Amino acid sequence: MTSRPGPQRIRKLPDERRAEILRTAARIALEEGLERITLRRVADELGVRPGLIGHYFPAADNLVSEAFADAATRERDALLPADEEDRPPTERLARFLARLDDPSSRDLSRLWLNARHLSRFREGLREVVDGQETVTRGALTALVEDGVKSGEFTTDDALGAALHILVVVDGIGAYANGYTDVGHPAVDGMATATAERVLGLHPGALRGTATATD
């Protein structure tokens, strides 16, 4: 009786394997939290030995930090897609805020809450969180500056306007771990209303633009 050969394991290129590990860890982070990322858990998800994960990420903290950066970058690219850069700033901002208001963004809010809490105790993660906040702040500031140049927004402090919007977004996101919505009209559309106010837009301008361009 001849034995059948087992399934042949495909050997992946190092960059491809590393990217696969990061994508898997980032998905775990978004769905379950950064604390659930371990070398064994990622190995089980990929059907490989934990030693393989350890080869690319000898310390679990490094994997956690890079997984957060990967998830945050992907989500930011989805909120502010590069292929929309030619659209009017008002439309881009309206789409950005509408996407943040969508229930599908709840996992992203939870991830940021999770990362900020853990970063108090993990220096490497703290540096990554700070870096991601800087990139997001810069991207939104650049969008506001584009709107000022085009005459769509009115502000003499683009960074200040971006910070107003982001602080409100973060404040609303602080409720992401709740099991029920706040359920008050003051919270509904608060970030959008803030953006309209600090950018000199009439009330409803951004919400109306987001609805018209869906």
Side-chain angles (χ1 to χ4, degrees):
M1 181 177 179
T2 58
S3 60
R4 294 182 180 178
Q8 188 174 9
R9 184 171 293 173
I10 299 175
R11 188 179 184 87
K12 296 188 176 182
L13 295 173
D15 287 349
E16 184 181 0
R17 176 65 78 182
R18 194 177 194 282
E20 180 185 53
I21 292 170
L22 271 181
R23 284 196 304 271
T24 302
R27 177 177 54 78
I28 293 171
L30 278 166
E31 295 176 357
E32 302 177 34
L34 292 166
E35 298 94 336
R36 301 300 296 271
I37 297 175
T38 64
L39 303 187
R40 180 171 295 280
R41 173 65 191 281
V42 175
D44 289 345
E45 290 281 333
L46 293 175
V48 300
R49 297 173 183 268
L52 177 63
I53 310 301
H55 172 73
Y56 291 92
F57 297 93
D61 279 356
N62 293 339
L63 178 55
V64 169
S65 295
E66 290 201 40
F68 170 73
D70 183 80
T73 299
R74 289 175 182 274
E75 293 298 318
R76 182 174 51 250
D77 290 345
L79 291 169
L80 288 168
D83 61 4
E84 292 184 359
E85 289 181 356
D86 291 336
R87 295 178 181 270
T90 300
E91 182 179 334
R92 289 162 57 202
L93 181 58
R95 288 173 176 265
F96 169 72
L97 294 169
R99 288 165 180 147
L100 282 172
D101 276 342
D102 192 276
S104 63
S105 291
R106 186 64 64 88
D107 284 344
L108 177 62
S109 296
R110 291 192 180 107
L111 177 63
W112 273 98
L113 277 176
N114 187 201
R116 285 180 172 130
H117 172 69
L118 287 182
S119 68
R120 294 175 58 202
F121 317 105
R122 302 184 186 186
E123 183 178 354
L125 179 59
R126 183 164 60 249
E127 292 176 357
V128 172
V129 170
D130 287 346
Q132 289 297 317
E133 287 181 330
T134 298
V135 174
T136 299
R137 187 165 56 246
L140 187 56
T141 300
L143 173 52
V144 172
E145 289 173 343
D146 287 345
V148 172
K149 291 176 183 176
S150 67
E152 297 173 49
F153 303 155
T154 303
T155 178
D156 57 2
D157 184 0
L159 174 59
L163 286 171
H164 261 93
I165 297 166
L166 290 174
V167 167
V168 172
V169 168
D170 287 343
I172 295 170
Y175 291 93
N177 283 334
Y179 293 101
T180 58
D181 291 331
V182 176
H184 194 285
V187 177
D188 184 32
M190 183 181 287
T192 299
T194 298
E196 290 168 349
R197 177 174 57 80
V198 299
L199 296 176
L201 298 169
H202 65 80
L206 290 171
R207 182 170 294 192
T209 300
T211 301
T213 55
D214 284 342

